[in-house]
Structure formats: structure tokens, C-alpha cells
Amino acid sequence: MPNVCYQCQHQNLPENRFCTRCGVRLEAPDQNYAWLYTLDGQKDSDAIYLKEKENFIGRGKSNSIVLEDKKVSNRHAVIYQQDEIYFIEDLQSKNGVFINGIKIVKKTPLMKGVLIKIGSTFFRFEHGGRS
């Protein structure tokens, strides 16, 4: 697994202790951080650190994660942490949120490695401290 910077999301070599792009120390603020990896069909590409208390996903520019996709609502979904568990919730979007191919209808806990589909974008969810 690449050593992804929680500040700028740059993928560093696993042995790096500091980000080669922004210089920040490569340790997350806590051990319960989470990531979304966007998937392009061949491999994991962009890594997005979920650093907000509520990480809103949608087409609108005010979201934590902005998706330029006509199939995505202005404010489509939110990922947040409650206690030690991360949840995703569909915010009454038109096209829904899918976890491992199944459309969710209520707040749903996210397990490490699940596939999330929002619009035409696929993400893989990861969480936890360094092993």
C-alpha cells in the first residue's frame, strides 16, 4: 500500500517518512483515518483522505469531494465517523449510492475494502493506522 500524504494526497514510497510533494510528516492525525481510492478499472489511482468530520460528496463545489459527473447530485452522499465506525449515507440523490453493487437505502457502515459507486465513479474504501 502506498504511503499517501493526508495533507495533499500525494502517493509516496512506503519507506518515506515525509511527503515528497508538500513535506508534511507522513503520519495521519489519528489512527482512525480513512481513505477513498478512485478506481479507473486498471488500478487504484487518486487517494482521497477523509479528513473532515463529515465528508460530503457531490457535484457542488462546496463538497469535500467534488465529482464532475452529470449522474451525481449537487450534494449526493456523506461519509462520516461515529465512534470507531465509518458510515456512508445517500442524501436523497436521484441515482443513488451503491456498496459492492447493492443500492443503499439508509446509513450504511463501511468495511475496509468495499467498493462504492457514486454516479460513474468507483471508490475503494480503506481505513486504519499503519500496520
Side-chain angles (χ1 to χ4, degrees), residues 7-95:
Q7 184 72 33
C8 72
Q9 284 77 48
H10 178 69
Q11 294 187 21
N12 294 275
L13 295 173
E15 62 271 13
N16 289 6
R17 295 289 175 226
F18 294 89
C19 178
T20 57
R21 179 184 288 161
C22 72
V24 75
R25 186 172 181 79
L26 292 174
E27 293 178 8
D30 61 57
Q31 293 299 305
N32 294 314
Y33 61 96
W35 308 94
L36 289 178
Y37 288 97
T38 57
L39 305 175
D40 67 5
Q42 300 296 317
K43 60 177 176 57
D44 291 353
S45 54
D46 297 329
I48 302 164
Y49 175 60
L50 301 175
K51 53 189 166 189
E52 306 296 328
K53 188 170 193 161
E54 295 178 312
N55 299 275
F56 289 96
I57 304 168
R59 213 173 55 238
K61 302 296 181 200
S62 65
N63 290 294
S64 309
I65 301 166
V66 177
L67 299 177
E68 310 255 344
D69 181 345
K70 291 182 181 181
K71 294 180 181 179
V72 175
S73 299
N74 190 41
R75 188 159 272 198
H76 198 102
V78 63
I79 296 176
Y80 56 93
Q81 185 179 13
Q82 253 182 353
D83 301 317
E84 301 293 317
I85 301 170
Y86 280 89
F87 291 91
I88 190 167
E89 192 170 338
D90 185 348
L91 300 175
Q92 300 177 346
S93 68
K94 183 178 177 182
N95 293 314

Side-chain angles (χ1 to χ4, degrees), residues 34-36 50 86 110-114 116 124-127:
W35 308 94
L36 289 178
L50 301 175
Y86 280 89
L110 289 171
M111 308 309 276
K112 189 173 185 174
V114 298
I116 301 167
R124 188 185 61 175
F125 175 78
E126 294 293 340
H127 68 88

